[in-house]
Amino acid sequence: MHLLELEKLVKFDKADFLQLIKDNYANNGIVNTIKLVKKSGICINPYGTGRPRDNKLYKEILEFLKEQDSCSNELMDFEREVSHLNALYKRFNEKYILEIEKCLSTDLHVCSYLIALETFLTEFNEKISVDLMLGRINGLNNNSSDIYENIVQSTGLVLKYFFYKKYDFNGISKRIARDNILCAGKHLNSSGVRNYLDTIMELWSYFDTEVEVVDNNQMNIKAVGEQARGKHISHMRFMDIRNAKMSRLSYEEYIFEQQYTISKALPPDKYISKHEKAACEFIQEYFSIEDLNIEFSEMKLSELVRAYSLVAVECNKFLKHRRKIINDFKDISLNDVCMARSKQKWINKLVEVGIRKNKAEKILDFMTFDINSNDLFDCPFIKIGNDYVVVPSASFITDSSRAILLNLNSKEINISIKGTEFEKNIRRSVGRANVKCTYLEMKDYECDAVFALSDDLFFIEMKHLNHPTSYREYMRNLDDLNDACNQLDRIVDFYLYKENFQKIKNKLGLERINRVYKMIVTNTSQGQTLKINDTFITDDTHFVGYFERRPPQIVEIISGIIITRPLFNEYYEGQVNTEQFINLIKKSPLIDHDRRRLDYCTTDITEEIGVKFEDFYIKINTIVTPEFLSPAEQKEFDSLYK
């Protein structure tokens, strides 16, 4: 069952959910039923009560399963794991959150934390600069930017906790003592631990894990299986594309000494920063469009990009002129270290850079953090009293494309246009290979693309989805693909009726059909080789690259000269044909290549809350700096790329 449907059933119709569990047990047994219960999200309470999120429903299910299979080892393991995972959250709450609350009054909590966050990020960014100058980085994976992003993203969890506790969001000019800020700064450490806990909860809920309960105070948890690994590969490939674009633009700026100035002309007519230019390219590719005047909820894409770019530009100006924060300050206020302006002043700023006056307030509200927001990348504005505050060191570099896409999704704003544009782009790529491609338009039986290679017929269903960054989003992505396979099965069965089949042959000019293939093409980078029943699943990188004869490339810059080297060229030579195409999809060499860029990393937070967590991490990143490679790192790099 699809993740969203399952969660909706739990929320609105518990009786039907309980019946679903009983039916599932009767048809599929205990192991499959436990997976369904875990996936429903009722088992773990992230607010640290020590009991399942829906304790009453959980007990009813447990009672039913024990009546059916009281001696099941799987059921006993499941019950023990639920108990210990909830104990981890309770331990975290008692050790970190309750201790911070004891030393900090509710009226100071929010501003104290934001000051602590800004001072910490300032020091962190300064350290990154020094490390780069001195070459104190890992040549294969300079992960300082990943650490920075994790810190900013984890702030979303902290702020949502403040909303949950109904803390006061007031007092931007109030002087706050250093001790209070140091106390609030403990959230920075705790949010890192909380991030690991939430990752563990999602991994355990949706995918295979190895769980060892050592004793009442210790658990060892390890991510296993291709699905867990696939989540990391999928996100890594998404980041590869983003990082490659940013690197190209930075190199072009270095070569051509491109200058950017503030302008009322919106992109793509004028850019106010290299990051804005990169964001527009990325959004145009993501939506498969050229027109940035397309509106979502009455907001133009060009205006949204400009608004996020303005925030980054203003942050850089603020940081350049802000007085240095001394380490031994006695007291300090939020508006000493962060940008704080009234709503009207921010609206005026937005209008000054080309945003329509009657849409500026709506865009400001769109970018303001609330309980449904993800983090400060998506929503950089925090409403404090009558002012809107921006944490400058969290927003001075903004990936507007990521922020816009995730923010539209979290606010459930319909972005359906991307589906039709994506379909057109895929069909065009087939046509560029001189292969006739058609669209079957019939109510309830639309097929996005049909084409033939020699006498082999291909039915294509296209799915434009959000790029998964978490285990939960990857699970949702897999469910969407499963649903797409079911839909394509129904459509193909219809068109394989004799009279419908003949119409397709006539339309494509075919005398005979040898084999029929079914395929799902998605925009989200695939992290694992997938074939559901007899339907192949691939992404647009593989699909479009094949028909346009563009293999993946390695790009090297040597003495200012750009050198490109194709990978897996054997799949892209000669004329397109079924055997070569299907071999590419089956073997997915790029996925296999990226699998070798990952390794396991163990995070030991036994002392903090009693858990060791072994998860995948990126061993070889998008961008490698050869001059910083140690002999061992050079050997690792050569084994993959030479």
Side-chain angles (χ1 to χ4, degrees):
M1 190 173 199
H2 195 289
L3 175 63
L4 298 186
E5 293 175 3
L6 193 59
E7 291 175 341
K8 186 176 180 180
L9 195 61
V10 167
K11 187 174 181 180
F12 297 109
D13 201 334
K14 296 185 188 335
D16 277 3
F17 174 71
L18 188 57
Q19 188 59 50
L20 173 70
I21 295 300
K22 292 177 179 179
D23 293 343
N24 192 277
Y25 177 82
N27 295 323
N28 302 304
I30 189 71
V31 173
N32 187 280
T33 304
I34 288 173
K35 286 182 178 180
L36 191 63
V37 178
K38 289 165 72 173
K39 185 178 178 180
S40 71
I42 69 168
C43 300
I44 314 300
N45 191 327
Y47 289 109
T49 63
R51 299 185 303 276
R53 188 194 294 259
D54 193 324
N55 196 37
K56 182 176 181 293
L57 184 57
Y58 171 78
K59 285 184 174 180
E60 288 180 20
I61 292 170
L62 205 60
E63 183 180 345
F64 164 75
L65 293 176
K66 285 181 177 180
E67 287 175 358
Q68 311 305 313
D69 206 339
S70 60
C71 298
S72 166
N73 289 330
E74 290 85 2
L75 186 57
M76 287 187 286
D77 288 343
F78 166 67
E79 187 176 9
R80 184 164 60 249
E81 289 167 13
V82 169
S83 175
H84 279 77
L85 287 169
N86 277 298
L88 289 181
Y89 272 104
K90 185 176 183 181
R91 203 173 300 143
F92 168 82
N93 194 47
E94 291 171 346
K95 181 169 183 177
Y96 289 100
I97 305 304
L98 296 182
E99 287 302 310
I100 297 173
E101 290 176 353
K102 286 179 184 177
C103 69
L104 199 57
S105 61
T106 58
D107 62 319
L108 298 177
H109 212 128
V110 175
C111 286
S112 297
Y113 171 70
L114 294 176
I115 293 169
L117 173 66
E118 173 57 32
T119 53
F120 179 85
L121 289 175
T122 299
E123 293 174 5
F124 183 81
N125 289 326
E126 289 173 353
K127 182 179 181 300
I128 289 176
S129 299
V130 172
D131 287 346
L132 283 171
M133 282 193 301
L134 299 178
R136 294 195 302 236
I137 64 171
N138 181 326
L140 289 179
N141 181 12
N142 177 20
N143 66 349
S144 55
S145 60
D146 298 333
I147 297 170
Y148 166 79
E149 288 198 4
N150 287 338
I151 295 167
V152 178
Q153 288 170 342
S154 65
T155 291
L157 294 173
V158 178
L159 290 176
K160 283 192 270 193
Y161 178 76
F162 292 165
F163 282 124
Y164 169 73
K165 296 288 288 188
K166 298 182 180 178
Y167 286 161
D168 291 334
F169 279 67
N170 282 295
I172 64 166
S173 58
K174 187 171 184 176
R175 307 296 295 182
I176 300 176
R178 176 181 173 80
D179 287 348
N180 287 324
I181 292 166
L182 291 175
C183 179
K186 293 177 183 177
H187 278 297
L188 294 167
N189 294 326
S190 70
S191 61
V193 177
R194 173 62 189 263
N195 251 342
Y196 283 118
L197 271 180
D198 288 350
T199 302
I200 288 169
M201 176 178 66
E202 289 191 0
L203 175 66
W204 177 87
S205 297
Y206 308 127
F207 300 115
D208 292 335
T209 54
E210 289 181 0
V211 180
E212 179 189 11
V213 178
V214 180
D215 55 42
N216 288 333
N217 298 310
Q218 174 66 44
M219 290 182 77
N220 298 331
I221 299 173
K222 181 178 180 179
V224 294
E226 286 305 304
Q227 288 186 322
R229 191 195 308 267
K231 171 260 175 183
H232 290 270
I233 293 175
S234 175
H235 185 54
M236 179 172 66
R237 290 181 57 200
F238 173 73
M239 295 299 291
D240 283 349
I241 296 170
R242 189 183 82 163
N243 292 336
K245 283 188 180 295
M246 292 302 297
S247 297
R248 176 177 60 78
L249 288 169
S250 295
Y251 187 70
E252 288 175 357
E253 184 178 351
Y254 170 74
I255 295 296
F256 300 111
E257 298 183 353
Q258 193 163 2
Q259 300 294 318
Y260 298 94
T261 57
I262 296 298
S263 171
K264 291 195 76 167
L266 294 172
D269 296 327
K270 185 77 174 179
Y271 303 108
I272 64 173
S273 71
K274 68 178 181 182
H275 298 290
E276 182 173 70
K277 184 177 181 181
C280 288
E281 284 194 19
F282 205 77
I283 284 176
Q284 285 172 323
E285 182 176 301
Y286 185 89
F287 285 96
S288 302
I289 59 171
E290 294 181 0
D291 182 11
L292 290 175
N293 288 317
I294 291 172
E295 293 190 7
F296 296 109
S297 190
E298 301 180 342
M299 299 177 291
K300 291 181 181 179
L301 277 176
S302 57
E303 291 178 313
L304 289 173
V305 173
R306 176 54 53 83
Y308 281 99
S309 301
L310 170 70
V311 171
V313 168
E314 290 295 305
C315 285
N316 277 288
K317 284 166 55 178
F318 180 84
L319 290 170
K320 184 177 180 180
H321 296 103
R322 185 183 67 187
R323 284 194 297 178
K324 183 175 177 63
I325 304 171
I326 57 175
N327 291 326
D328 58 348
F329 61 84
K330 180 182 176 183
D331 56 34
I332 198 168
S333 65
L334 181 61
N335 59 4
D336 284 335
V337 298
C338 294
M339 283 197 301
R341 294 172 182 160
S342 68
K343 186 170 193 175
Q344 190 57 52
K345 285 184 177 179
W346 277 117
I347 288 173
N348 292 342
K349 280 285 182 184
L350 292 171
V351 173
E352 286 173 13
V353 293
I355 292 170
R356 291 170 293 174
K357 188 174 183 179
N358 64 336
K359 301 301 178 186
E361 182 175 357
K362 185 178 184 69
I363 288 173
L364 179 61
D365 290 341
F366 174 78
M367 297 171 63
T368 299
F369 195 93
D370 62 26
I371 193 65
N372 296 312
S373 302
N374 294 302
D375 52 49
L376 293 183
F377 291 130
D378 302 1
C379 296
F381 293 104
I382 307 164
K383 190 174 185 300
I384 309 286
N386 293 321
D387 292 285
Y388 286 72
V389 172
V390 176
V391 179
S393 293
S395 299
F396 76 108
I397 297 177
T398 300
D399 179 0
S400 306
S401 57
R402 170 200 179 278
I404 292 168
L405 295 170
L406 293 182
N407 205 5
L408 286 170
N409 183 53
S410 66
K411 289 181 169 57
E412 298 184 351
I413 293 175
N414 183 7
I415 48 178
S416 59
I417 185 173
K418 62 185 182 180
T420 56
E421 295 299 330
F422 179 64
E423 292 165 13
K424 292 175 186 176
N425 190 47
I426 295 296
R427 288 195 291 269
R428 281 194 293 263
S429 71
V430 178
R432 292 187 188 108
N434 295 319
V435 175
K436 187 174 182 180
C437 182
T438 189
Y439 164 59
L440 302 178
E441 188 173 7
M442 181 179 289
K443 186 179 180 182
D444 299 326
Y445 295 101
E446 292 183 5
C447 187
D448 297 330
V450 180
F451 61 87
L453 297 179
S454 297
D455 295 327
D456 299 321
L457 187 64
F458 288 80
F459 289 90
I460 309 296
E461 173 76 13
M462 300 164 203
K463 292 299 293 183
H464 200 294
L465 307 169
N466 291 317
H467 289 279
T469 59
S470 66
Y471 280 119
R472 182 181 185 278
E473 290 166 1
Y474 193 65
M475 181 76 259
R476 178 178 173 179
N477 187 277
L478 292 175
D479 283 347
D480 286 337
L481 294 176
N482 268 286
D483 285 354
C485 286
N486 293 333
Q487 180 179 343
L488 185 58
D489 283 342
R490 181 181 61 81
I491 290 169
V492 172
D493 286 346
F494 173 79
Y495 284 112
L496 290 184
Y497 288 143
K498 187 175 181 180
E499 59 272 21
N500 296 330
F501 202 39
Q502 187 59 47
K503 288 178 182 177
I504 292 173
K505 289 168 67 176
N506 295 340
K507 201 166 189 178
L508 293 175
L510 299 173
E511 292 184 5
R512 60 186 293 271
I513 292 175
N514 184 21
R515 290 168 294 186
V516 173
Y517 291 94
K518 293 182 288 186
M519 188 173 294
I520 306 295
V521 180
T522 175
N523 64 305
T524 55
S525 299
Q526 290 304 290
Q528 58 189 111
T529 304
L530 281 177
K531 187 179 182 185
I532 300 175
N533 297 326
D534 58 348
T535 300
F536 292 98
I537 296 174
T538 190
D539 54 44
D540 57 341
T541 300
H542 280 98
F543 190 95
V544 174
Y546 178 78
F547 283 97
E548 296 188 355
R549 315 314 269 159
R550 286 190 289 105
Q553 293 182 330
I554 300 294
V555 179
E556 296 178 88
I557 300 176
I558 301 176
S559 301
I561 300 173
I562 298 176
I563 301 170
T564 61
R565 180 160 49 89
L567 294 172
F568 326 119
N569 212 34
E570 63 271 23
Y571 295 98
Y572 300 87
E573 295 174 334
Q575 294 295 314
V576 297
N577 61 83
T578 298
E579 183 179 3
Q580 189 186 55
F581 180 44
I582 293 300
N583 276 341
L584 174 67
I585 302 305
K586 279 183 177 179
K587 295 179 181 179
S588 300
L590 186 57
I591 293 176
D592 183 60
H593 176 274
D594 287 339
R595 188 182 290 116
R596 293 159 60 198
R597 292 169 57 192
L598 294 178
D599 205 348
Y600 276 109
C601 178
T602 300
T603 302
D604 189 346
I605 43 179
T606 304
E607 186 176 335
E608 288 84 351
I609 55 170
V611 67
K612 281 185 184 178
F613 179 40
E614 196 171 356
D615 199 8
F616 297 101
Y617 86 108
I618 298 175
K619 179 175 56 175
I620 301 178
N621 220 327
T622 312
I623 299 169
V624 171
T625 314
E627 58 266 34
F628 292 149
L629 294 178
S630 68
E633 291 169 345
Q634 185 68 55
K635 185 177 180 181
E636 185 88 50
F637 178 77
D638 290 345
S639 70
L640 191 61
Y641 290 103
K642 296 297 184 182

